[in-house]
Amino acid sequence: MSLAFYTGRAPALSKLIAAGNYSYTRLREAIGLAKSVHQAIIRTGSSIINKNDIRMIRGHRIVQLKQGPDLALFTQPGVLFRLGLWLTEVLRDRITGVNVSRRTKKKSLPLILACLDEQDRTYLVIVVERKSRFWRC
């Protein structure tokens, strides 16, 4: 693999090479870690959808993660937020919006994700709300 191909197209990588901080093995490890996180998100999200673990309570969609092989991974806020984004993207076509009143248009409901941290016996709670084309937390 030639680094000359990447230096012209990726300025961040060329800066790392110039600073001497570039390590091909560390890059491969980081890519492997990103792949495993993505696979855990897809595996857990698919399990949530297949088991119908999404509950409706007072105008909110709620998902509670209490068990699973990747539970410790989802105690990190960034990973749990990415799971929420993935779920809202997948469920956008499957679940229709809700009419709040007769005069308003259909509205998508916020998704609340709660993940149990077994060591601390606490929950990490993330809210993902879809507004037109932008995502907010």
mmCIF file of all heavy atoms in Angstrom, residues 44 47-48 51 53 55 57 62-75 80 83 112-119 121-124:
data_model
loop_
_atom_site.group_PDB
_atom_site.id
_atom_site.type_symbol
_atom_site.label_atom_id
_atom_site.label_comp_id
_atom_site.label_asym_id
_atom_site.label_seq_id
_atom_site.Cartn_x
_atom_site.Cartn_y
_atom_site.Cartn_z
ATOM 1 N N THR A 44 -27.707 -5.311 17.915
ATOM 2 C CA THR A 44 -28.624 -4.912 18.988
ATOM 3 C C THR A 44 -29.870 -4.253 18.429
ATOM 4 O O THR A 44 -30.988 -4.518 18.887
ATOM 5 C CB THR A 44 -27.911 -3.965 19.968
ATOM 6 O OG1 THR A 44 -26.724 -4.600 20.441
ATOM 7 C CG2 THR A 44 -28.802 -3.608 21.133
ATOM 8 N N SER A 47 -32.136 -6.847 16.986
ATOM 9 C CA SER A 47 -32.776 -7.588 18.073
ATOM 10 C C SER A 47 -33.939 -6.787 18.672
ATOM 11 O O SER A 47 -34.994 -7.348 18.969
ATOM 12 C CB SER A 47 -31.746 -7.907 19.149
ATOM 13 O OG SER A 47 -32.357 -8.448 20.279
ATOM 14 N N ILE A 48 -33.760 -5.493 18.836
ATOM 15 C CA ILE A 48 -34.820 -4.634 19.373
ATOM 16 C C ILE A 48 -36.023 -4.637 18.452
ATOM 17 O O ILE A 48 -37.173 -4.745 18.896
ATOM 18 C CB ILE A 48 -34.287 -3.202 19.593
ATOM 19 C CG1 ILE A 48 -33.313 -3.176 20.764
ATOM 20 C CG2 ILE A 48 -35.423 -2.215 19.821
ATOM 21 C CD1 ILE A 48 -32.535 -1.890 20.894
ATOM 22 N N LYS A 51 -37.774 -8.258 18.368
ATOM 23 C CA LYS A 51 -38.481 -8.598 19.601
ATOM 24 C C LYS A 51 -39.581 -7.604 19.956
ATOM 25 O O LYS A 51 -40.243 -7.773 20.969
ATOM 26 C CB LYS A 51 -37.490 -8.660 20.761
ATOM 27 C CG LYS A 51 -36.510 -9.796 20.671
ATOM 28 C CD LYS A 51 -35.576 -9.753 21.856
ATOM 29 C CE LYS A 51 -34.537 -10.843 21.800
ATOM 30 N NZ LYS A 51 -33.604 -10.756 22.928
ATOM 31 N N ASP A 53 -39.286 -4.543 21.130
ATOM 32 C CA ASP A 53 -38.946 -3.976 22.429
ATOM 33 C C ASP A 53 -39.215 -2.483 22.528
ATOM 34 O O ASP A 53 -38.935 -1.882 23.560
ATOM 35 C CB ASP A 53 -37.473 -4.240 22.762
ATOM 36 C CG ASP A 53 -37.226 -5.654 23.220
ATOM 37 O OD1 ASP A 53 -38.207 -6.332 23.572
ATOM 38 O OD2 ASP A 53 -36.055 -6.071 23.244
ATOM 39 N N ARG A 55 -41.510 0.436 23.192
ATOM 40 C CA ARG A 55 -42.800 0.673 23.836
ATOM 41 C C ARG A 55 -43.219 2.118 23.646
ATOM 42 O O ARG A 55 -42.379 3.007 23.536
ATOM 43 C CB ARG A 55 -42.697 0.366 25.337
ATOM 44 C CG ARG A 55 -42.428 -1.092 25.604
ATOM 45 C CD ARG A 55 -42.345 -1.362 27.068
ATOM 46 N NE ARG A 55 -41.097 -0.787 27.567
ATOM 47 C CZ ARG A 55 -40.887 -0.407 28.817
ATOM 48 N NH1 ARG A 55 -41.832 -0.528 29.702
ATOM 49 N NH2 ARG A 55 -39.731 0.097 29.189
ATOM 50 N N ILE A 57 -45.073 5.147 25.468
ATOM 51 C CA ILE A 57 -45.552 5.647 26.753
ATOM 52 C C ILE A 57 -45.679 7.157 26.665
ATOM 53 O O ILE A 57 -44.684 7.857 26.451
ATOM 54 C CB ILE A 57 -44.599 5.263 27.904
ATOM 55 C CG1 ILE A 57 -44.517 3.745 28.035
ATOM 56 C CG2 ILE A 57 -45.056 5.891 29.212
ATOM 57 C CD1 ILE A 57 -43.555 3.273 29.088
ATOM 58 N N ILE A 62 -39.974 4.276 23.757
ATOM 59 C CA ILE A 62 -38.967 3.983 24.772
ATOM 60 C C ILE A 62 -38.363 2.602 24.531
ATOM 61 O O ILE A 62 -39.075 1.633 24.315
ATOM 62 C CB ILE A 62 -39.586 4.042 26.187
ATOM 63 C CG1 ILE A 62 -40.087 5.453 26.455
ATOM 64 C CG2 ILE A 62 -38.587 3.617 27.242
ATOM 65 C CD1 ILE A 62 -40.747 5.640 27.781
ATOM 66 N N VAL A 63 -37.032 2.552 24.583
ATOM 67 C CA VAL A 63 -36.281 1.301 24.482
ATOM 68 C C VAL A 63 -35.408 1.200 25.720
ATOM 69 O O VAL A 63 -34.667 2.131 26.040
ATOM 70 C CB VAL A 63 -35.403 1.252 23.214
ATOM 71 C CG1 VAL A 63 -34.576 -0.008 23.187
ATOM 72 C CG2 VAL A 63 -36.239 1.379 21.972
ATOM 73 N N GLN A 64 -35.502 0.069 26.403
ATOM 74 C CA GLN A 64 -34.727 -0.143 27.607
ATOM 75 C C GLN A 64 -33.808 -1.344 27.389
ATOM 76 O O GLN A 64 -34.277 -2.455 27.128
ATOM 77 C CB GLN A 64 -35.677 -0.395 28.774
ATOM 78 C CG GLN A 64 -35.034 -0.405 30.112
ATOM 79 C CD GLN A 64 -36.061 -0.552 31.213
ATOM 80 O OE1 GLN A 64 -37.213 -0.891 30.982
ATOM 81 N NE2 GLN A 64 -35.631 -0.315 32.441
ATOM 82 N N LEU A 65 -32.515 -1.106 27.474
ATOM 83 C CA LEU A 65 -31.520 -2.173 27.317
ATOM 84 C C LEU A 65 -31.085 -2.647 28.698
ATOM 85 O O LEU A 65 -30.456 -1.900 29.446
ATOM 86 C CB LEU A 65 -30.305 -1.666 26.539
ATOM 87 C CG LEU A 65 -30.551 -1.169 25.118
ATOM 88 C CD1 LEU A 65 -29.285 -0.551 24.555
ATOM 89 C CD2 LEU A 65 -31.033 -2.278 24.246
ATOM 90 N N LYS A 66 -31.435 -3.890 29.031
ATOM 91 C CA LYS A 66 -31.094 -4.444 30.338
ATOM 92 C C LYS A 66 -30.121 -5.607 30.248
ATOM 93 O O LYS A 66 -29.462 -5.937 31.221
ATOM 94 C CB LYS A 66 -32.352 -4.953 31.042
ATOM 95 C CG LYS A 66 -33.327 -3.912 31.411
ATOM 96 C CD LYS A 66 -34.477 -4.579 32.136
ATOM 97 C CE LYS A 66 -35.597 -3.625 32.390
ATOM 98 N NZ LYS A 66 -36.741 -4.294 33.018
ATOM 99 N N GLN A 67 -30.073 -6.270 29.100
ATOM 100 C CA GLN A 67 -29.233 -7.450 28.964
ATOM 101 C C GLN A 67 -28.748 -7.562 27.531
ATOM 102 O O GLN A 67 -29.256 -6.906 26.641
ATOM 103 C CB GLN A 67 -30.019 -8.697 29.344
ATOM 104 C CG GLN A 67 -31.273 -8.894 28.522
ATOM 105 C CD GLN A 67 -32.109 -10.039 29.058
ATOM 106 O OE1 GLN A 67 -31.693 -10.728 29.967
ATOM 107 N NE2 GLN A 67 -33.278 -10.236 28.485
ATOM 108 N N GLY A 68 -27.779 -8.400 27.343
ATOM 109 C CA GLY A 68 -27.247 -8.635 26.013
ATOM 110 C C GLY A 68 -25.735 -8.701 26.042
ATOM 111 O O GLY A 68 -25.095 -8.259 26.998
ATOM 112 N N PRO A 69 -25.170 -9.236 24.973
ATOM 113 C CA PRO A 69 -23.712 -9.401 24.947
ATOM 114 C C PRO A 69 -22.961 -8.074 24.837
ATOM 115 O O PRO A 69 -21.811 -7.980 25.249
ATOM 116 C CB PRO A 69 -23.472 -10.275 23.712
ATOM 117 C CG PRO A 69 -24.652 -10.028 22.844
ATOM 118 C CD PRO A 69 -25.803 -9.773 23.772
ATOM 119 N N ASP A 70 -23.600 -7.046 24.326
ATOM 120 C CA ASP A 70 -22.930 -5.762 24.103
ATOM 121 C C ASP A 70 -23.385 -4.688 25.075
ATOM 122 O O ASP A 70 -23.236 -3.502 24.804
ATOM 123 C CB ASP A 70 -23.194 -5.294 22.668
ATOM 124 C CG ASP A 70 -22.763 -6.308 21.641
ATOM 125 O OD1 ASP A 70 -21.644 -6.823 21.768
ATOM 126 O OD2 ASP A 70 -23.552 -6.605 20.723
ATOM 127 N N LEU A 71 -23.946 -5.066 26.206
ATOM 128 C CA LEU A 71 -24.509 -4.099 27.140
ATOM 129 C C LEU A 71 -23.451 -3.129 27.656
ATOM 130 O O LEU A 71 -23.704 -1.927 27.753
ATOM 131 C CB LEU A 71 -25.178 -4.819 28.308
ATOM 132 C CG LEU A 71 -25.969 -3.943 29.276
ATOM 133 C CD1 LEU A 71 -27.140 -3.301 28.548
ATOM 134 C CD2 LEU A 71 -26.447 -4.746 30.446
ATOM 135 N N ALA A 72 -22.270 -3.612 27.954
ATOM 136 C CA ALA A 72 -21.204 -2.742 28.461
ATOM 137 C C ALA A 72 -20.774 -1.711 27.419
ATOM 138 O O ALA A 72 -20.384 -0.595 27.776
ATOM 139 C CB ALA A 72 -20.010 -3.583 28.888
ATOM 140 N N LEU A 73 -20.860 -2.071 26.156
ATOM 141 C CA LEU A 73 -20.492 -1.144 25.089
ATOM 142 C C LEU A 73 -21.460 0.039 25.022
ATOM 143 O O LEU A 73 -21.062 1.174 24.778
ATOM 144 C CB LEU A 73 -20.467 -1.890 23.749
ATOM 145 C CG LEU A 73 -20.085 -1.090 22.509
ATOM 146 C CD1 LEU A 73 -18.642 -0.631 22.606
ATOM 147 C CD2 LEU A 73 -20.293 -1.927 21.277
ATOM 148 N N PHE A 74 -22.738 -0.219 25.275
ATOM 149 C CA PHE A 74 -23.750 0.825 25.163
ATOM 150 C C PHE A 74 -23.850 1.701 26.399
ATOM 151 O O PHE A 74 -24.700 2.586 26.461
ATOM 152 C CB PHE A 74 -25.110 0.211 24.821
ATOM 153 C CG PHE A 74 -25.151 -0.342 23.439
ATOM 154 C CD1 PHE A 74 -25.158 -1.707 23.224
ATOM 155 C CD2 PHE A 74 -25.153 0.495 22.345
ATOM 156 C CE1 PHE A 74 -25.181 -2.217 21.944
ATOM 157 C CE2 PHE A 74 -25.167 -0.001 21.063
ATOM 158 C CZ PHE A 74 -25.178 -1.358 20.859
ATOM 159 N N THR A 75 -22.994 1.502 27.379
ATOM 160 C CA THR A 75 -22.934 2.436 28.502
ATOM 161 C C THR A 75 -22.145 3.683 28.135
ATOM 162 O O THR A 75 -22.091 4.633 28.908
ATOM 163 C CB THR A 75 -22.304 1.772 29.742
ATOM 164 O OG1 THR A 75 -20.998 1.309 29.409
ATOM 165 C CG2 THR A 75 -23.163 0.622 30.235
ATOM 166 N N LEU A 80 -24.426 4.687 22.365
ATOM 167 C CA LEU A 80 -25.879 4.621 22.564
ATOM 168 C C LEU A 80 -26.599 5.612 21.651
ATOM 169 O O LEU A 80 -27.655 5.317 21.099
ATOM 170 C CB LEU A 80 -26.229 4.886 24.026
ATOM 171 C CG LEU A 80 -27.670 4.655 24.434
ATOM 172 C CD1 LEU A 80 -28.076 3.204 24.193
ATOM 173 C CD2 LEU A 80 -27.887 5.036 25.882
ATOM 174 N N LEU A 83 -26.742 4.170 18.204
ATOM 175 C CA LEU A 83 -27.805 3.171 18.140
ATOM 176 C C LEU A 83 -29.157 3.862 17.973
ATOM 177 O O LEU A 83 -29.982 3.417 17.186
ATOM 178 C CB LEU A 83 -27.808 2.304 19.402
ATOM 179 C CG LEU A 83 -28.971 1.318 19.535
ATOM 180 C CD1 LEU A 83 -28.904 0.259 18.444
ATOM 181 C CD2 LEU A 83 -28.977 0.677 20.910
ATOM 182 N N ILE A 112 -36.543 7.438 23.208
ATOM 183 C CA ILE A 112 -35.769 7.468 24.446
ATOM 184 C C ILE A 112 -35.099 6.110 24.608
ATOM 185 O O ILE A 112 -35.768 5.087 24.624
ATOM 186 C CB ILE A 112 -36.667 7.767 25.659
ATOM 187 C CG1 ILE A 112 -37.338 9.123 25.490
ATOM 188 C CG2 ILE A 112 -35.860 7.711 26.947
ATOM 189 C CD1 ILE A 112 -38.365 9.432 26.548
ATOM 190 N N LEU A 113 -33.775 6.128 24.732
ATOM 191 C CA LEU A 113 -33.010 4.902 24.947
ATOM 192 C C LEU A 113 -32.416 4.940 26.350
ATOM 193 O O LEU A 113 -31.793 5.936 26.728
ATOM 194 C CB LEU A 113 -31.876 4.783 23.932
ATOM 195 C CG LEU A 113 -32.298 4.469 22.519
ATOM 196 C CD1 LEU A 113 -31.716 5.459 21.567
ATOM 197 C CD2 LEU A 113 -31.841 3.091 22.183
ATOM 198 N N ALA A 114 -32.616 3.878 27.091
ATOM 199 C CA ALA A 114 -32.040 3.763 28.435
ATOM 200 C C ALA A 114 -31.230 2.477 28.507
ATOM 201 O O ALA A 114 -31.722 1.409 28.186
ATOM 202 C CB ALA A 114 -33.148 3.742 29.481
ATOM 203 N N CYS A 115 -29.975 2.595 28.913
ATOM 204 C CA CYS A 115 -29.094 1.431 29.001
ATOM 205 C C CYS A 115 -28.617 1.264 30.440
ATOM 206 O O CYS A 115 -28.132 2.215 31.065
ATOM 207 C CB CYS A 115 -27.892 1.609 28.078
ATOM 208 S SG CYS A 115 -26.757 0.218 28.121
ATOM 209 N N LEU A 116 -28.760 0.065 30.958
ATOM 210 C CA LEU A 116 -28.363 -0.245 32.336
ATOM 211 C C LEU A 116 -26.854 -0.408 32.421
ATOM 212 O O LEU A 116 -26.255 -1.165 31.662
ATOM 213 C CB LEU A 116 -29.056 -1.534 32.790
ATOM 214 C CG LEU A 116 -28.676 -2.054 34.170
ATOM 215 C CD1 LEU A 116 -29.122 -1.082 35.253
ATOM 216 C CD2 LEU A 116 -29.276 -3.425 34.393
ATOM 217 N N ASP A 117 -26.251 0.328 33.352
ATOM 218 C CA ASP A 117 -24.841 0.135 33.678
ATOM 219 C C ASP A 117 -24.808 -0.779 34.893
ATOM 220 O O ASP A 117 -25.120 -0.364 36.010
ATOM 221 C CB ASP A 117 -24.177 1.469 33.985
ATOM 222 C CG ASP A 117 -22.670 1.349 34.143
ATOM 223 O OD1 ASP A 117 -22.155 0.210 34.148
ATOM 224 O OD2 ASP A 117 -22.012 2.391 34.249
ATOM 225 N N GLU A 118 -24.460 -2.032 34.676
ATOM 226 C CA GLU A 118 -24.550 -3.036 35.737
ATOM 227 C C GLU A 118 -23.579 -2.777 36.883
ATOM 228 O O GLU A 118 -23.867 -3.123 38.030
ATOM 229 C CB GLU A 118 -24.320 -4.432 35.162
ATOM 230 C CG GLU A 118 -25.423 -4.878 34.239
ATOM 231 C CD GLU A 118 -25.156 -6.237 33.627
ATOM 232 O OE1 GLU A 118 -23.973 -6.597 33.456
ATOM 233 O OE2 GLU A 118 -26.126 -6.931 33.308
ATOM 234 N N GLN A 119 -22.434 -2.171 36.606
ATOM 235 C CA GLN A 119 -21.458 -1.916 37.664
ATOM 236 C C GLN A 119 -21.945 -0.833 38.623
ATOM 237 O O GLN A 119 -21.830 -0.959 39.836
ATOM 238 C CB GLN A 119 -20.115 -1.524 37.072
ATOM 239 C CG GLN A 119 -19.443 -2.652 36.325
ATOM 240 C CD GLN A 119 -18.138 -2.212 35.707
ATOM 241 O OE1 GLN A 119 -17.835 -1.036 35.639
ATOM 242 N NE2 GLN A 119 -17.355 -3.182 35.247
ATOM 243 N N ARG A 121 -25.107 0.344 38.677
ATOM 244 C CA ARG A 121 -26.552 0.207 38.889
ATOM 245 C C ARG A 121 -27.294 1.499 38.581
ATOM 246 O O ARG A 121 -28.156 1.948 39.334
ATOM 247 C CB ARG A 121 -26.851 -0.266 40.304
ATOM 248 C CG ARG A 121 -26.363 -1.657 40.584
ATOM 249 C CD ARG A 121 -26.796 -2.105 41.926
ATOM 250 N NE ARG A 121 -26.301 -3.453 42.179
ATOM 251 C CZ ARG A 121 -26.525 -4.102 43.281
ATOM 252 N NH1 ARG A 121 -27.234 -3.562 44.227
ATOM 253 N NH2 ARG A 121 -26.044 -5.312 43.440
ATOM 254 N N THR A 122 -26.917 2.111 37.462
ATOM 255 C CA THR A 122 -27.571 3.329 36.983
ATOM 256 C C THR A 122 -27.943 3.138 35.522
ATOM 257 O O THR A 122 -27.498 2.187 34.875
ATOM 258 C CB THR A 122 -26.638 4.547 37.102
ATOM 259 O OG1 THR A 122 -25.440 4.291 36.355
ATOM 260 C CG2 THR A 122 -26.296 4.841 38.548
ATOM 261 N N TYR A 123 -28.756 4.054 35.013
ATOM 262 C CA TYR A 123 -29.136 4.039 33.606
ATOM 263 C C TYR A 123 -28.552 5.255 32.911
ATOM 264 O O TYR A 123 -28.573 6.364 33.457
ATOM 265 C CB TYR A 123 -30.659 4.080 33.449
ATOM 266 C CG TYR A 123 -31.320 2.741 33.581
ATOM 267 C CD1 TYR A 123 -31.803 2.298 34.797
ATOM 268 C CD2 TYR A 123 -31.474 1.916 32.481
ATOM 269 C CE1 TYR A 123 -32.419 1.065 34.925
ATOM 270 C CE2 TYR A 123 -32.082 0.679 32.595
ATOM 271 C CZ TYR A 123 -32.553 0.268 33.815
ATOM 272 O OH TYR A 123 -33.157 -0.955 33.933
ATOM 273 N N LEU A 124 -28.050 5.029 31.716
ATOM 274 C CA LEU A 124 -27.686 6.117 30.826
ATOM 275 C C LEU A 124 -28.873 6.333 29.902
ATOM 276 O O LEU A 124 -29.343 5.391 29.269
ATOM 277 C CB LEU A 124 -26.436 5.758 30.012
ATOM 278 C CG LEU A 124 -26.048 6.734 28.913
ATOM 279 C CD1 LEU A 124 -25.630 8.069 29.506
ATOM 280 C CD2 LEU A 124 -24.939 6.159 28.058
#
